[in-house]
Amino acid sequence: MSDAVADPAVGRAPGAGTRALPARLTHALPMLRVAEREARIWGRLWHTSLLTGVLMPLLFLGAMGVGLGDLVDDNSGSVAGLDYLVFVAPGILAATALQAASGDSLWPVMAGIKWVKSFHAAAATPLSPGQVFGGWVTWTTARLLINATLFVIVAALLGGVPSWWGVLAPLAAALGGLAFAAPLTAYSAAQDSDLSFPIIMRLAVVPMFLFSGTFFPVDQLPDWLEPLARLTPLWHAVELCRGATTGSITLVGAIGHTAFLLAIVGLGCWAGTRTFRSRIAP
Amino acid sequence: MSTAVALAGGRRTLRVVERNSRTYLRAWPAFVSGFLEPFFYLFSIGIGVGALVGQLPGPHGPVDYDQFVAPGMMAVAAMNGCVFDTTFNFFFKYKYAKTYDGMLATPLAVEDIVRGELTWALLRGVLQSGVFLATMWAMGLTPSGWSVLAIPGAAVIGFGFAGAGLGLTTFMRSWFDFDYVQLVIIPMFLFSATFFPISQYPDGLAWVVRCTPLYQGVAIERSLVLGDPSPVLFLHAAYLVVMGWLGLRVAGRRLGRMLQP
C-alpha cells in the first residue's frame, strides 16, 4: 500500500481528481464488485448451484411435508392449527437457508483468505477489507434470496403457502441466512485451519436445523431446552417465515423478530470488518 | 475384527487401516462429532415429530414412531460413516494429497490401498452404527433379541456403500462433481422408507424405492430390530454385497491406471 502512495506516477494519474467525487458518493457500492465476481462464477455453475440450493429443500418438503405429513394429519389432525405441510414448509425454507448460508461462510471463506487467496486479490484493488467482507455476505444473501424465491413458488404450487404474505417469506429467509452468514464469515476469516468447521456444522448447524421449530413446535421440547431454542437466530427466522406464509404474523412479532436478526447481522458485520482487516490488510 | 481385515486382504491392508486410524486420532473431535448426527435426527424426527405421528403398524402389532425411525437411522449411520471417507477423502488423497503415490513407493499395491480404504470406512461405519445401536438399546428402542444381528447388518450396508463410493469416486473430475454425491445421498436418506413406511407411496413409486440401495439396508435393520427376520433379508444383503464388490473391482482397476500411468 505504502509503495503505491510513494510512487509519484500513481499520484499524478490522469483523472485521479475527477474520480474522487463519485467515488465518495458511491462509497458503499464498490463492495458490489466482490459480489459481481461471485455472481459471474455462479453464472457458469448456476445449474448445479440450483440443484443443491432448491432441489434439496424441495426433497425435504416432499419427504416431510407430503410423505410424513399424511401420517401426521391422520394422527393429530393439525399441528399448531395448520396442516403439517403448511407448518413444515416455512420451517424447511428458513432451515435450509441457514444450512446454505453456513456452507458459504465456512470453507469458501477459508479459501478466499488462505487457500486460493481471492480476498487478498480483491483487497489489492481500491477495495477495503471491510468492503470485501460486505461484498461476500451480500452475494451470499442474494443467492439465498434466489433459492428461497424458487422454493416458495414450488411450495405454493404444492399448497404449502396459504397466504399472499408469502411473497415476503423469501426476504425473511434471506435475512435469517444473513444473520448466520455474517458472524460465521467473520469467524472463519479469523481461523488458521478448517478443523473446527465440521464441528460447527454438526454441533451448531444440524441441531438448530432440527430443533428450532422447523419440524415440530418448540413448545414440545423439554422445558430446559425451549428457551434455548427461542434464542437461536433460526427460531426467529422460522417464526418470520411461518408468519408470512400463513399470514398469521402480528406487527409486533414481525418487528421483534426482524430487529433480533438485524442486531445479529450488525454484530456480524462489525466483527467481520475487523477480522477481514486483520487477515487481508497488508 | 482381525478376521474382517484378513478377509479384506491381509497384513498389508492393515497398514493402510493403521495409517488412517493414526491420522484420525489427530483430528478426533471431527471424528467423534460424526457420531452425533443420527442422534439429532432420532430426537428431532423420531421423538419430536413422532409425538405428532403416533403409532405405525409393525410386524407384531403397532409400534411407536421412534421405534420405526431408529433402525432406519442406524442404516443411515452405517451408510454415512462410509460415504465421506470413500468419496471426499478418497478423492482428496489421490488427487491433492498424493497419499497413494507415497503408499505405492512402499511394498503396498493398488489393491492393498483400495481394500485398506474400504476396510477403514467399513470399520468407521460399523463403529458409528454400533454406538447408535447401544444407545437405542439404552432408550428401550430394541424390542427384539435379533437386534444384535443389526451390527453385521451394518457391516453389509457399509461394505456396499464403501465399495460403491470408491468405485464412483474414480470417475470424479473436480470438486463440483461431488454435488452429485449429495444429490444421490440426500434423496436416498429421505425416501428409502427411513421416515415413513413404503405403503405411503403409490405402487409404481414404491417399486422404484424398493430398488434403491439404502432401502435394502433399512429393510435389513428394521426387520432385525423389530424382530421379524425372514430369508428375504439375504436377498437385500446380496444386493449390497454385489454393489460393494463391483465398486471395489472398478476402483482397483481405475485407480491402478490413474496412479501408475
Side-chain angles (χ1 to χ4, degrees):
Chain A
M1 235 11 191
S2 53
D3 288 350
V5 173
D7 187 342
V10 174
R12 288 193 215 107
T18 52
R19 267 203 299 269
L21 183 63
R24 234 180 306 156
L25 287 175
T26 57
H27 178 70
L29 286 181
M31 73 176 192
L32 291 183
R33 296 290 187 179
V34 178
E36 182 190 339
R37 173 199 183 261
E38 301 304 324
R40 280 169 184 266
I41 295 176
W42 183 84
R44 269 184 266 151
L45 301 165
W46 60 272
H47 38 278
T48 48
S49 166
L50 284 187
L51 265 186
T52 44
V54 182
L55 191 65
M56 290 304 154
L58 287 175
L59 289 172
F60 265 89
L61 188 69
M64 300 301 168
V66 182
L68 198 55
D70 281 349
L71 297 172
V72 172
D73 294 338
D74 286 349
N75 181 64
S76 317
S78 67
V79 183
L82 306 165
D83 279 350
Y84 190 64
L85 176 67
V86 174
F87 175 84
V88 88
I92 292 173
L93 170 68
T96 46
L98 159 98
Q99 215 175 27
S102 22
D104 278 354
S105 310
L106 293 169
W107 288 275
V109 172
M110 172 78 38
I113 295 260
K114 189 177 167 182
W115 296 328
V116 186
K117 299 196 193 315
S118 49
F119 292 163
H120 293 270
T125 69
L127 292 172
S128 71
Q131 287 168 333
V132 177
F133 169 83
W136 177 261
V137 293
T138 302
W139 168 246
T140 303
T141 316
R143 208 160 69 90
L144 292 175
L145 202 57
I146 297 169
N147 292 349
T149 307
L150 292 172
F151 175 85
V152 168
I153 291 171
V154 182
L157 293 175
L158 288 172
V161 184
S163 163
W164 276 104
W165 286 107
V167 294
L168 292 179
L171 283 175
L175 174 63
L178 177 60
F180 221 68
L184 211 55
T185 302
Y187 167 85
S188 306
Q191 301 309 303
D192 279 322
S193 89
D194 62 335
L195 260 187
S196 61
F197 292 178
I199 298 168
I200 290 177
M201 287 305 262
R202 284 163 176 165
L203 297 187
V205 176
V206 170
M208 256 200 260
F209 183 84
L210 291 168
F211 295 99
S212 299
T214 340
F215 297 105
F216 58 92
V218 284
D219 49 27
Q220 253 175 262
L221 287 169
D223 288 342
W224 59 273
L225 210 58
E226 193 188 327
L228 212 64
R230 287 179 197 270
L231 276 179
T232 61
L234 182 56
W235 181 73
H236 293 274
V238 170
E239 287 295 299
L240 263 185
C241 289
R242 192 166 286 142
T245 57
T246 61
S248 65
I249 199 149
T250 60
L251 186 64
V252 178
I255 292 173
H257 294 307
T258 308
F260 183 92
L261 293 172
L262 282 176
I264 300 181
V265 172
L267 275 176
C269 287
W270 173 77
T273 311
R274 288 174 64 101
T275 56
F276 266 58
R277 197 181 298 140
S278 72
R279 280 310 281 279
I280 60 180
Chain B
M1 189 181 113
S2 55
T3 349
V5 170
L7 275 176
R11 202 163 51 86
R12 288 189 300 190
T13 303
L14 201 61
R15 294 281 179 240
V16 181
V17 177
E18 184 190 344
R19 181 254 165 217
N20 283 351
S21 56
R22 285 192 182 200
T23 33
Y24 262 97
L25 274 182
R26 269 183 264 147
W28 65 269
F31 187 65
V32 171
S33 62
F35 284 78
L36 291 169
E37 191 162 322
F39 289 106
F40 289 137
Y41 271 92
L42 179 63
F43 284 116
S44 171
I45 310 294
I47 296 174
V49 181
L52 305 168
V53 177
Q55 291 195 314
L56 293 177
H60 311 298
V63 292
D64 283 337
Y65 184 67
D66 52 356
Q67 235 162 39
F68 174 86
V69 166
M73 288 296 102
M74 187 176 166
V76 169
M79 172 180 80
N80 281 345
C82 294
V83 161
F84 187 79
D85 271 328
T86 55
T87 57
F88 293 90
N89 272 359
F90 183 56
F91 186 73
F92 181 75
K93 282 182 189 167
Y94 88 69
K95 193 124 188 174
Y96 297 99
K98 309 280 178 210
T99 313
Y100 302 131
D101 293 301
M103 288 185 186
L104 287 178
T106 70
L108 292 179
V110 173
E111 286 72 28
D112 300 316
I113 294 171
V114 175
R115 288 198 200 110
E117 289 293 352
L118 180 116
T119 311
W120 164 250
L122 194 60
L123 282 176
R124 197 172 166 187
V126 169
L127 203 63
Q128 290 203 0
S129 40
V131 170
F132 191 76
L133 183 69
T135 318
M136 278 166 63
W137 174 75
M139 290 169 66
L141 295 175
T142 51
S144 159
W146 289 99
S147 299
V148 181
L149 288 183
I151 300 259
V156 172
I157 299 169
F159 179 79
F161 281 100
L166 291 172
L168 292 175
T169 302
T170 57
F171 291 96
M172 303 284 184
R173 294 155 302 178
S174 79
W175 290 116
F176 294 111
D177 285 339
F178 282 85
D179 280 342
Y180 297 112
V181 176
Q182 300 284 32
L183 218 54
V184 172
I185 295 291
I186 294 185
M188 275 203 296
F189 165 67
L190 289 170
F191 295 100
S192 300
T194 25
F195 294 108
F196 47 88
I198 199 156
S199 55
Q200 288 292 100
Y201 290 104
D203 268 354
L205 214 52
W207 276 104
V208 175
V209 173
R210 283 196 184 95
C211 294
T212 62
L214 184 60
Y215 176 77
Q216 319 303 319
V218 172
I220 293 174
E221 301 299 56
R222 188 167 289 141
S223 305
L224 291 171
V225 169
L226 296 179
D228 182 34
S230 70
V232 182
L233 296 191
F234 287 108
L235 214 61
H236 293 305
Y239 177 120
L240 291 166
V241 170
V242 170
M243 178 171 90
W245 180 79
L246 277 177
L248 201 57
R249 283 289 303 273
V250 170
R253 290 170 64 175
R254 290 182 51 89
L255 191 68
R257 253 182 290 154
M258 283 186 290
L259 291 178
Q260 299 165 313

